[in-house]
Amino acid sequence: MDNPRRALLVVDVQNDFCEGGSLAVSGGSALAQRITQYMHQSSQGYELILASKDNHVRPHGHFANQPDFLNTWPPHCLAGTRGSEFHPALDFSYFDHIILKGEYQAAYSSFEGSDDAGKSLVDILEKREIDAIDLCGIATDFCVLQSAMNALNLGYPTTVFLDLVAGVSRQASMDALEEMQSRGANIKYAFEIQ
């Protein structure tokens, strides 16, 4: 495709996943600022900019008092709380749609949610005739990974921005990036390295 219609998907840049939150990843707050900077510089290159949010109400089996940090987690991103809100450094005025996921079950992929009107991410992408997806956000080794895998499985050429993601575990994040790349994702920097 000479000029693909691209969408930017910003995954789960929420207070609970940033410093001071109940399930913080290292560098989450700085990441929110970098993503805002990227959107400010690059928004004109996108047909559509979307964001996903964990929006937990009672996610069966997802929370635990003694979490294993693989399948169970401390309570986080409870619907209607400050922890579920976007980080204040993330300028959400750029978002055309916000996808909510995980109300009553674990939902790692943005493709498992829907917007306020009940439209799925796939419905939104198809309606806007999106050809390719760029991904950024939190966490590299969980929700970014699963969102990228779903995008690739649906046939979307997918790019993950190495400098616009943050993960739970350094090694698991490196493994996730390798897995995404092995499945066909383009892994590159959003900003040129000086």
Side-chain angles (χ1 to χ4, degrees), residues 6 10 14 122 156 172 177 190:
R6 304 190 75 83
V10 180
Q14 296 167 261
V122 171
Y156 289 102
L177 289 163

Side-chain angles (χ1 to χ4, degrees), residues 136-164:
C136 60
I138 301 172
T140 314
D141 38 347
F142 288 93
C143 296
V144 171
L145 169 64
Q146 295 305 319
S147 297
M149 290 305 195
N150 280 170
L152 291 163
N153 288 340
L154 289 164
Y156 289 102
T158 301
T159 297
V160 177
F161 291 130
L162 191 58
D163 50 342
L164 295 182

